[in-house]
Amino acid sequence: MAPTTQAHEITAASRLENVRYAIRDLACVADEVVKQGHKVLPLNVGDPLNFDFQTPPHIIEAVYKAMRDGKNGYAPSPGIPEALEAIRGEAARKGITTVQDVFVTSGVSETVDLCISALVNPGEDLLTPSPDYPLYSAVLCKLGIGLNAYDLNEEDGWQPELADIERKLTPRTRGIVIINPNNPTGSLCTRQMLEQVAELARRHNLIVFSDEIYDKLILEDTPHLAFAAVAPDVPCITFGGMSKNYLVPGWRIGWGIVSGDAAAVKTYTEGVHRLLRARLCANHPEQYSIKPALEGPQDHLVEVKRKLRSRRDLTQKWCESTPRVSCVAPRGAFYAYPRIEIPESDEIFVNELIRQKHVMVVHGSGFGQKPGTQHFRIVFLPDEQTLTKAYVGIAEFIRERYGK
Ligand SMILES: Cc1ncc(COP(=O)(O)O)c(C=O)c1O
């Protein structure tokens, strides 16, 4: 019998049409440029290990030892007990007094996926910031949930715009996401803002997802404020992880801390645990790094923050002295989100910048922005020399393409 040939194209589900991840999608343009023999300056991906940052050796030892000790099978679905205990300790240090549950995931990425999937029914919605870290909209699109984004206000240091949140609330809104410190803007929520978001959550029976993955990378003297510490009664999942604070994004370890009124979060937390069981477990040996990371020496953070402050200052100075560019100074994490005044889209700007100057940043439309405004995101992780080279290239590009 003649072999049957596959005649039809296998299409992807249509709900994926709006799934975009601009940060990595740009890689295709960069690949072309590299094939032409150029070196690309990557100011696009927030991976400190691409630059002069090193993982604290004692946590590498802990994982190595776990592997040698045979911790290579499946772990318990919520995470290994010593990690869960260490995360509870960390929650207490963050001032969270109403912890109801903690669980370990494959990066904060999986926490985001599980927490949204366990919450939102078709026809309901979740308030997400605009601009936002694009995974939130990607997960919502994957689930077939319509986006409901609220604005961050550039004129107010990128604080959530309360009036816009009020406008966007619907009877079917189940929760609100805050990212603090923020990616892509580097902003920090003020105490007053957290209190106001808490008040909205109380009034509208919302759960708050507070993404605090950068909470140890604060570039100011003010301490980080955890939402759940400010609003202990409000149902909240605080997202935290190893990727950024402990310089191991490739290990894929994150966690969720459930807090708030015990009765209010009980059923939802059971839902999260169903999903935790269904996906078996997070990476097992890597979980042995959590306790030594959270409870051991934090010396690396001094060096990391020293470098980041210097690179942030250099970035800010460049933004302030470059025509057509302005920027709200970042206060945490390692991102700046400058605004540019140009007569074309920021997506064209970014694509042409890679092609002509071999500098890779990410366009504002990949994160969201108010109509009529254009931005790009800079990752200021590279050393001062590399950043200076990149900024000279961007300034030249702006001058040559748009004039002063
Ligand atoms: C705000 C935010 N949340 C979550 C993540 C995902 O982190 P993880 O590596 O823990 O999956 C990132 C990664 O860049 C991020 O910036």
Side-chain angles (χ1 to χ4, degrees):
M1 213 169 80
T4 314
T5 53
Q6 180 83 47
H8 300 292
E9 185 188 6
I10 310 294
T11 55
S14 51
R15 64 180 182 280
L16 300 191
E17 256 156 44
N18 292 321
V19 176
R20 298 260 185 283
Y21 197 84
I23 303 165
R24 288 188 181 237
D25 291 350
L26 280 172
C28 310
V29 187
D31 284 349
E32 271 175 45
V33 174
V34 170
K35 269 193 205 129
Q36 291 157 7
H38 303 290
K39 193 167 178 286
V40 172
L41 293 174
L43 273 54
N44 62 320
V45 177
D47 183 348
L49 277 295
N50 286 343
F51 306 99
D52 58 345
F53 297 89
Q54 281 98 35
T55 306
H58 72 283
I59 69 170
I60 297 182
E61 280 307 316
V63 173
Y64 183 42
K65 179 171 182 310
M67 287 183 178
R68 275 196 330 249
D69 289 352
K71 311 290 189 193
N72 301 306
Y74 291 124
S77 293
I80 59 169
E82 71 159 66
L84 298 177
E85 196 193 302
I87 295 164
R88 282 180 180 267
E90 177 69 2
R93 281 187 293 279
K94 281 165 75 69
I96 307 175
T97 54
T98 52
V99 176
Q100 306 301 340
D101 190 44
V102 294
F103 52 87
V104 181
T105 53
S106 295
V108 171
S109 302
E110 196 188 30
T111 328
V112 171
D113 196 336
L114 291 188
C115 289
I116 297 179
S117 304
L119 181 72
V120 193
N121 290 302
E124 296 176 339
D125 65 76
L126 178 71
L127 281 159
T128 53
S130 172
D132 83 333
Y133 176 62
L135 175 65
Y136 287 92
S137 0
V139 169
L140 289 162
C141 287
K142 184 181 83 171
L143 294 170
I145 307 290
L147 299 184
N148 189 10
Y150 68 88
D151 288 332
L152 303 182
N153 186 353
E154 189 166 14
E155 273 72 48
D156 185 22
W158 292 115
Q159 294 296 308
E161 202 172 306
L162 278 175
D164 196 48
I165 299 180
E166 299 257 21
R167 263 195 304 275
K168 302 282 169 61
L169 270 164
T170 74
R172 295 163 306 285
T173 304
R174 299 293 312 281
I176 177 163
V177 175
I178 52 177
I179 305 176
N180 178 35
N182 187 268
N183 177 3
T185 66
S187 63
L188 298 177
C189 284
T190 61
R191 177 181 287 276
Q192 191 196 9
M193 180 53 63
L194 296 177
E195 281 166 355
Q196 285 168 319
V197 171
E199 203 38 48
L200 271 172
R202 288 186 194 106
R203 248 191 291 135
H204 296 275
N205 198 28
L206 308 178
I207 188 167
V208 175
F209 293 153
S210 187
D211 185 336
E212 301 180 10
I213 189 171
Y214 299 98
D215 66 350
K216 293 184 196 284
L217 304 180
I218 307 300
L219 308 178
E220 312 276 291
D221 293 331
T222 48
H224 178 256
L225 280 176
F227 174 85
V230 172
D233 58 311
V234 173
C236 174
I237 318 274
T238 303
F239 301 165
M242 297 287 292
S243 293
K244 316 288 179 170
N245 291 341
Y246 294 99
L247 305 166
V248 285
W251 284 4
R252 314 305 304 125
I253 293 289
W255 53 78
I257 302 167
V258 184
S259 60
D261 177 76
V265 294
K266 184 170 178 289
T267 310
Y268 170 69
T269 308
E270 282 166 8
V272 171
H273 277 268
R274 276 193 213 188
L275 291 179
L276 285 166
R277 290 193 292 275
R279 68 33 150 160
L280 302 182
C281 64
N283 302 331
H284 189 182
E286 285 82 353
Q287 292 189 46
Y288 285 87
S289 68
I290 296 175
K291 183 179 163 71
L294 295 178
E295 296 177 2
Q298 307 291 307
D299 304 351
H300 71 287
L301 286 172
V302 177
E303 180 65 359
V304 168
K305 286 196 285 186
R306 187 190 61 72
K307 287 180 177 172
L308 292 183
R309 282 195 189 105
S310 155
R311 293 165 198 189
R312 185 267 315 262
D313 292 348
L314 189 147
T315 303
Q316 191 60 23
K317 241 187 224 153
W318 176 80
C319 290
E320 283 165 10
S321 60
T322 305
R324 295 180 178 272
V325 177
S326 60
C327 188
V328 174
R331 305 176 66 212
F334 34 68
Y335 307 103
Y337 198 56
R339 183 164 175 171
I340 32 167
E341 307 294 335
I342 51 170
E344 59 188 350
S345 76
D346 47 30
E347 190 165 0
I348 297 179
F349 169 83
V350 160
N351 276 278
E352 284 306 306
L353 181 66
I354 302 174
R355 290 206 170 90
Q356 294 183 33
K357 301 292 175 185
H358 320 134
V359 179
M360 207 162 158
V361 293
V362 185
H363 43 289
S365 42
F367 301 97
Q369 55 198 347
K370 282 191 181 172
T373 66
Q374 332 258 27
H375 297 81
F376 60 102
R377 190 191 72 169
I378 296 172
V379 171
F380 55 77
L381 286 168
D383 62 34
E384 286 74 1
Q385 208 187 344
T386 311
L387 281 180
T388 304
K389 200 168 159 201
Y391 295 153
V392 167
I394 304 176
E396 258 175 34
F397 175 77
I398 292 175
R399 195 172 52 246
E400 289 162 9
R401 194 167 174 89
Y402 309 112
K404 287 230 163 160

